[in-house]
Amino acid sequence: DNNPDLQPYEATNYDLSAEYYPATGGQLSLGLFHKDIDNPIYTFRSTEQNVTYDGRQFTRLRYTQQRNGDAGRLSGVELSWNQPFYFLPGVLKGLGLTSNVAFITSELRIAGRDDALPFLGQPDRVTNLIPYFQPEPFEARFAYARRSGFLSQVNTPGFDRFMAPRETMDLTLRYQILGQGLEVIGTARNLTNAPEVGYQGNVGQYDLHVLTGRTFSIGLRTTR
């Protein structure tokens, strides 16, 4: 159902960051952030039995509408470490690591509800770990990512929908040929075939299990 009273989403952001560059190369960084949100927009969904709507009787009625919440907020800290290990001997100097982790607290306030809701689509922890090995002209890069669960839909109390935590692993291989003008690239996505899992109300009520499958590709890229 359309909502003519829907107000625009507005946010005020505050960010603070510090970086350190050690003598061994690489970068360490710390970031703090906070976001105050007015009129957060969410999609409300509900299912009712044996109701009358717009003069008609329905045995089962599903209702969907975009609405404004009262307010929302996000606060968190992000830690990052990027380190090429060029100081190691021999071929090991091609090793490196890119990593970051974010810890986030969030809140969504909705009129008529006094329970605590996290902000829509916002996990409270996100982790990325990417070791790589790049002795020219070859490069191998492995990516591990994990995010915690998050609120995906606002329904009536006790029937809100959530997505469960998920871990994925990807692999990318590159090989340069003809100098730096052409390279072969192979990728493998979601190596463990991690599913997307959702539930309603609480973790004991799983009702979504989607296998997106593994994806493999190979191709050529030129920079000329």
Side-chain angles (χ1 to χ4, degrees), residues 17 24 35-36 53 86-87 93-94 98 122 158 160 173 216:
S17 62
T24 55
K35 179 182 292 188
D36 290 319
Y53 179 77
Y86 66 87
F87 49 83
K93 68 177 58 178
T98 298
Q122 181 59 65
D160 300 314
L173 302 175
F216 302 92

Side-chain angles (χ1 to χ4, degrees), residues 71 88 122 156:
L88 294 177
Q122 181 59 65
T156 53

Side-chain angles (χ1 to χ4, degrees), residues 88-175:
L88 294 177
V91 71
L92 295 180
K93 68 177 58 178
L95 289 170
L97 177 69
T98 298
S99 60
N100 64 72
V101 58
F103 302 91
I104 304 161
T105 61
S106 66
E107 181 183 12
L108 176 64
R109 296 196 298 273
I110 294 176
R113 294 188 59 164
D114 56 6
D115 53 341
L117 287 174
F119 201 81
L120 274 164
Q122 181 59 65
D124 58 18
R125 183 177 299 183
V126 179
T127 304
N128 294 285
L129 185 65
I130 307 174
Y132 59 86
F133 182 52
Q134 45 186 188
E136 294 185 352
F138 175 75
E139 177 184 349
R141 187 174 294 264
F142 176 80
Y144 166 83
R146 186 185 191 281
R147 57 141 180 86
S148 59
F150 60 86
L151 175 67
S152 60
Q153 292 179 10
V154 176
N155 297 334
T156 53
F159 293 94
D160 300 314
R161 292 197 51 81
F162 296 84
M163 297 302 295
R166 188 171 188 242
E167 297 180 348
T168 58
M169 300 180 189
D170 303 327
L171 179 65
T172 301
L173 302 175
R174 302 174 186 265
Y175 187 81

